[in-house]
């Protein structure tokens, strides 16, 4: 356990505020140096409270996102951006519409690509992250399969942005918000494991007892592509931000 950096909080709110403070501090430091901040962002229920805190910091504390460039981890495919099920829509509803980030600095993978365009688009997404200076902070949740982004079991460590087929557990978990598993897109465009591991700092948030098993497996099992989150063991600056429930199965 010593090699892992875990921060355990009494509530998801406290953990979310901790991560928001780290983001705020980096944006302010970079602003004072006149350089932009590159954020890798995640969807799902986990980061929502953290985004609420960033919005509060923008509205009440004057935190500006004018010099922030964002790259989202993933998007369903096929998926129209204006669909309420899209991650593009999710990010605008839960964060972008409420802060002063420039529209041209927002990057969410496209869910409308033809098969012919996928590979060029994905390579360009990688290149765009690199051209922005690389991800300063990557925010992650974790799925019950151990996926990070949509890097499902079997995703290799050297994988980069690409189209993937979603795992059945992931489809089942998404079913309620799509009104049935038959409505969930079976594919996605996702940053790869290697894309994520290039981030300078990674905050993986996991809250609630439903995450306790996969958190414990991620932190204690050998590195395996069957649990892609275990590749984070090869990253030297990942902080696991947990609440008491999510950390309950970790060895003490
Ligand atoms: P959740 O999803 O935040 O909705 O639990 C996390 C994930 O699947 O990566």
């Amino acid at each position: 356990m010593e090699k892992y950096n875990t921060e355990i909080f009494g509530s998801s709110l406290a953990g979310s505020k901790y991560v928001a403070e780290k983001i705020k501090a980096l944006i302010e430091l970079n602003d004072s140096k006149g350089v932009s901040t590159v954020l890798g962002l995640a969807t799902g229920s986990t980061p929502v409270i953290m985004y609420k805190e960033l919005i509060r910091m923008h509205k009440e504390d004057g935190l500006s996102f004018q010099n922030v460039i964002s790259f989202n981890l993933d998007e369903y495919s096929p998926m129209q951006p204006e669909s309420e099920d899209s991650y593009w829509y999710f990010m605008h509803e839960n964060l972008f519409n409420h802060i002063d980030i420039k529209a041209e600095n927002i990057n969410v993978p496209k869910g409308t690509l033809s098969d012919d365009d996928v590979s060029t688009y994905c390579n360009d997404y990688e290149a765009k992250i690199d051209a922005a200076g690389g991800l300063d902070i990557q925010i992650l949740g974790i799925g019950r399969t151990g996926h990070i982004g949509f890097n499902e079991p079997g995703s290799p460590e050297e994988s980069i942005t690409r189209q993937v087929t979603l795992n059945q557990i992931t489809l089942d978990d998404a079913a309620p918000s799509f009104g049935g598993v038959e409505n969930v897109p079976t594919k996605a465009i996702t940053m790869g494991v290697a894309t994520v591991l290039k981030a300078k700092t990674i905050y993986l948030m996991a809250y609630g007892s439903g995450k306790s098993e996969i958190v414990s497996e991620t932190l204690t099992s050998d590195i395996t592509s069957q649990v892609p989150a275990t590749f984070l063991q090869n990253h030297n600056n990942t902080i696991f931000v947990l609440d008491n429930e999510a950390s309950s199965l970790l060895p003490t």
Side-chain angles (χ1 to χ4, degrees):
M1 283 296 290
E2 297 96 62
K3 58 183 175 169
Y4 306 116
N5 202 346
T6 54
E7 296 283 347
I8 299 170
F9 294 88
S11 67
S12 56
L13 178 62
S16 301
K17 285 189 169 181
Y18 166 85
V19 176
E21 281 295 343
K22 296 288 182 186
I23 293 174
K24 177 172 186 272
L26 184 69
I27 293 173
E28 290 177 344
L29 176 69
N30 284 341
D31 280 356
S32 74
K33 295 192 218 159
V35 297
S36 51
T37 302
V38 184
L39 300 179
L41 299 177
T43 53
S45 54
T46 304
V48 169
I49 305 173
M50 195 274 283
Y51 293 151
K52 278 198 169 57
E53 179 62 8
L54 290 179
I55 294 166
R56 191 202 61 72
M57 288 170 162
H58 170 65
K59 291 193 192 304
E60 294 177 16
D61 304 340
L63 177 64
S64 172
F65 294 79
Q66 285 281 314
N67 297 320
V68 169
I69 302 171
S70 73
F71 290 91
N72 261 83
L73 279 168
D74 47 19
E75 177 61 281
Y76 289 108
S77 177
M79 179 58 73
Q80 296 293 330
E82 58 273 15
S83 161
E84 291 188 13
D85 293 321
S86 79
Y87 284 167
W88 190 96
Y89 185 90
F90 175 99
M91 287 307 302
H92 283 75
E93 281 288 298
N94 286 288
L95 182 64
F96 299 146
N97 287 348
H98 311 286
I99 60 175
D100 62 343
I101 191 167
K102 295 174 180 157
E104 65 267 30
N105 286 347
I106 293 171
N107 299 281
V108 179
K110 247 189 196 165
T112 54
L113 300 164
S114 69
D115 285 348
D116 286 349
D117 293 340
V118 167
S119 114
T120 306
Y121 177 85
C122 291
N123 291 338
D124 287 351
Y125 200 77
E126 287 286 319
K128 205 169 177 187
I129 295 172
D130 290 341
L135 301 166
D136 292 312
I137 290 179
Q138 176 66 54
I139 300 301
L140 294 178
I142 185 168
R144 285 195 297 145
T145 61
H147 71 200
I148 47 175
F150 273 139
N151 292 287
E152 299 286 20
S155 297
E157 183 169 17
E158 57 279 7
S159 55
I160 60 170
T161 303
R162 67 204 188 288
Q163 181 164 276
V164 294
T165 299
L166 298 176
N167 180 289
Q168 190 60 46
I169 295 177
T170 299
L171 297 176
D172 291 343
D173 282 351
S177 57
F178 281 86
V181 74
E182 65 281 7
N183 301 323
V184 185
T186 55
K187 292 190 171 27
I189 306 289
T190 184
M191 279 187 202
V193 175
T195 325
V196 169
L197 291 181
K198 277 201 287 181
K200 296 176 189 88
T201 303
I202 298 174
Y203 293 99
L204 185 149
M205 290 185 280
Y207 304 125
S209 56
K211 297 289 167 77
S212 58
E213 269 179 47
I214 193 61
V215 163
S216 160
E217 200 176 348
T218 296
L219 291 175
T220 60
S221 78
D222 291 341
I223 295 174
T224 166
S225 66
Q226 288 315 305
V227 184
T230 58
F231 289 124
L232 295 168
Q233 295 179 24
N234 286 336
H235 188 266
N236 62 9
N237 195 20
T238 295
I239 299 99
F240 290 84
V241 179
L242 310 172
D243 63 2
N244 290 328
E245 288 79 9
S247 65
S248 62
L249 297 179
L250 292 177
T252 48

